[in-house]
Amino acid sequence: MQQFPQGYQAQMPVQNAPQPQQQAQEVKFYKSSIFLFASAAGKLERDYARMAGQGWKLLGTPSFVGVNFWLQRVICAVYVR
């Protein structure tokens, strides 16, 4: 049996704790058309159907950002996979 000096603590092997998986994240901005042929909400709905088919989900709810210089409404959506 091996004797260690007083106050010495034996080194224990470190076990690798499971790392949480990082989620892929994508932020998209939707703007309405200048002449209102396509609204920002309509673009979001169409793109959401496509993104859901690829395995993406919305993180929370889309938020209204505001109106830009050309009076286009802007909506922001965050998708995670």
Side-chain angles (χ1 to χ4, degrees):
M1 183 168 180
Q2 187 176 4
Q3 295 291 327
F4 294 103
Q6 186 175 1
Y8 178 83
Q9 293 186 4
Q11 296 287 329
M12 299 296 290
V14 177
Q15 295 180 358
N16 291 335
Q19 297 287 332
Q21 290 184 342
Q22 290 184 346
Q23 293 181 337
Q25 193 173 36
E26 187 170 340
V27 178
K28 289 192 165 198
F29 293 92
Y30 300 95
K31 294 185 290 185
S32 61
S33 296
I34 294 176
F35 299 111
L36 297 177
F37 290 120
S39 68
K43 289 180 180 180
L44 170 65
E45 287 179 11
R46 286 188 298 277
D47 195 41
Y48 173 73
R50 184 182 60 82
M51 296 289 281
Q54 296 175 359
W56 292 91
K57 296 179 183 177
L58 274 174
L59 179 66
T61 58
S63 60
F64 175 69
V65 176
V67 178
N68 67 6
F69 178 75
W70 293 278
L71 302 177
Q72 294 172 300
R73 291 189 175 129
V74 181
I75 296 175
C76 176
V78 180
Y79 293 93
V80 293
R81 188 182 283 188

